[in-house]
Amino acid sequence: MALLERTRLRLFEKFVFAASRRRREAEHLATGRHGELAAYFYLRRQGYVLTARGWRAGLLRGDLDLIGWEGGTLCFIEVKTRTTRDVATAEAAVDEDKRRTLRRLARHYLRQLPQNDVPVRFDLLSVYLERGKTAEIELFRGAFGWH
């Protein structure tokens, strides 16, 4: 199963990078897209059931990178990808302003559920994509709360 997922990931990576070159997508955007894809497969291997990627709420600023369930808990997952650890950790990019944005989006998402009194958690994934190396991923469950 892991071999199949790695093969899928490699094929999708080739597609993403080929498409980004055709559209002349900025390298940092391609890196972020690659990191979110690696995070998606990583979380699936961890037992998460992912239900949304890149969820947006109309006119509200920002997006929720991944939304999924771990057991009976609904998780809003922010993915931060870096190609190096030299400057700062990836998770350091989720400052208070970013947390406010994620909370606002999560509240909007919850209002659309038929049952919105489910346990909720904000998770953070740091993905490091150093050239020539396998992606390194670190998961922070319950990285921050509602306040």
Side-chain angles (χ1 to χ4, degrees):
M1 184 74 160
L3 177 62
L4 179 60
E5 284 196 23
R6 277 196 304 268
T7 302
R8 283 185 195 160
L9 179 60
R10 283 191 201 112
L11 287 172
F12 196 77
E13 287 171 358
K14 287 180 183 181
F15 172 76
V16 167
F17 285 117
S20 69
R21 281 194 303 269
R22 281 194 305 271
R23 291 182 303 207
R24 300 198 187 274
E25 181 177 49
E27 189 173 332
H28 73 281
L29 295 177
T31 299
R33 193 178 323 279
H34 184 177
E36 285 186 20
L37 182 65
Y40 174 84
F41 285 108
Y42 173 83
L43 290 170
R44 287 194 45 202
R45 285 191 306 274
Q46 298 300 310
Y48 283 66
V49 177
L50 298 169
T51 57
R53 291 177 61 196
W55 186 86
R56 294 188 163 279
L59 298 176
L60 291 180
R61 178 178 63 116
D63 70 328
L64 295 168
D65 292 336
L66 296 168
I67 302 171
W69 295 88
E70 186 180 38
T73 302
L74 180 62
C75 302
F76 298 103
I77 305 144
E78 178 67 9
V79 179
K80 289 296 177 191
T81 306
R82 299 290 182 267
T83 55
T84 181
R85 297 173 192 254
D86 292 345
V87 177
T89 61
E91 61 272 12
V94 183
D95 59 11
E96 190 53 42
D97 184 51
K98 181 66 174 180
R99 291 175 185 182
R100 264 192 303 276
T101 298
L102 295 171
R103 289 179 189 117
R104 186 177 311 116
L105 289 164
R107 280 191 294 273
H108 190 78
Y109 183 86
L110 288 170
R111 282 194 293 271
Q112 297 181 33
L113 295 179
Q115 178 186 358
N116 59 13
D117 60 343
V118 297
V120 174
R121 184 176 77 213
F122 291 95
D123 292 350
L124 173 60
L125 238 95
S126 291
V127 180
Y128 295 95
L129 301 173
E130 296 184 46
R131 291 197 190 277
K133 295 184 179 179
T134 304
E136 291 180 36
I137 300 175
E138 193 170 356
L139 171 61
F140 300 92
R141 287 179 173 91
F144 59 93
W146 289 102
H147 303 289

